[in-house]
Amino acid sequence: MRPWLYLKSADLIAERPEGADEDVHYPEALVEAALEEYTSPGDLVLDPFAGFGTTLVVAERMGRRAVGVELLDERVDLIRGRLSGGGDVRVVQGDARNLSALVDGPVDLCMTSPPYMSATDHPENPLTAYETLDGDYVTYLAEIGDVFRQVAGLLRPSGHAVVNVANLEDDGFITPLAWDMGRVLCRHLSLRHETFLCWDELLPGLSADYCLTFRKD
């Protein structure tokens, strides 16, 4: 992928599915660029944090097979409603922390944007869809790391994981989430490339937005 990717906030708003949170900033153009770079038609794409289904929708459109894992029942239904049914694409309801029990490999590409957490004043736990108040930043990073340990086990040799993650800004305090998550993932995969996501208008709450590419060596 290129060292930077220009993105328009208007395009993001236009493609945002009904019911999606306003802070969702995972654009189809980013998924398209990653799938074009790291996969071929018929390859298997995994999104362990399927969210509103962007990875799966784009994968279906581009002729890739895909599987996503989503915690919330209502989002699983939403994703299924967004798919045309014309390809080998499915979504599994479950907790990404149990990924290896939910998905079979080998996977050619993991393409995802994990739920975010700031380092201070954030009791909501991202890995329970922000529905419990047991959030702890150190624990969150450790559990994200374990998810990607399982991703590494599912990836084929030389397969890639492309992760959209931002540094966060809140009331003048910066959480270097992209760097912290990159450090954790490097325990299981090799960091090979970073792409700066250049938005025409930086979205609220973000200090800087990135796409980190890892490989299973």
Side-chain angles (χ1 to χ4, degrees), residues 84-85 105 164 182 205:
S84 71
N164 173 217

Side-chain angles (χ1 to χ4, degrees), residues 18-93:
E18 183 177 354
D21 301 331
E22 291 185 359
D23 60 353
V24 172
H25 63 282
Y26 183 58
E28 292 184 9
L30 175 59
V31 181
E32 290 170 357
L35 267 60
E36 183 69 29
E37 181 74 21
Y38 298 113
T39 67
S40 299
D43 282 354
L44 180 60
V45 179
L46 165 68
D47 189 344
F49 301 103
F52 293 93
T54 300
T55 296
L56 305 186
V57 169
V58 174
E60 182 182 55
R61 187 167 67 226
M62 295 180 65
R64 275 62 169 172
R65 296 178 296 128
V67 57
V69 174
E70 172 51 41
L71 183 64
L72 299 179
D73 287 333
E74 60 268 28
R75 290 194 184 175
V76 171
D77 290 339
L78 184 151
I79 293 169
R80 288 174 178 159
R82 296 187 68 197
L83 297 171
S84 71
D88 183 3
V89 178
R90 63 190 180 96
V91 56
V92 179
Q93 192 280 324

Side-chain angles (χ1 to χ4, degrees), residues 89-132:
V89 178
R90 63 190 180 96
V91 56
V92 179
Q93 192 280 324
D95 190 327
R97 291 173 290 185
N98 301 320
L99 184 65
S100 59
L102 300 171
V103 175
D104 295 323
V107 171
D108 297 290
L109 172 70
C110 173
M111 177 72 203
T112 193
S113 183
Y116 290 178
M117 183 179 189
S118 59
T120 60
D121 300 322
H122 198 302
E124 300 86 2
N125 188 342
L127 298 178
T128 63
Y130 305 99
E131 294 191 346
T132 62

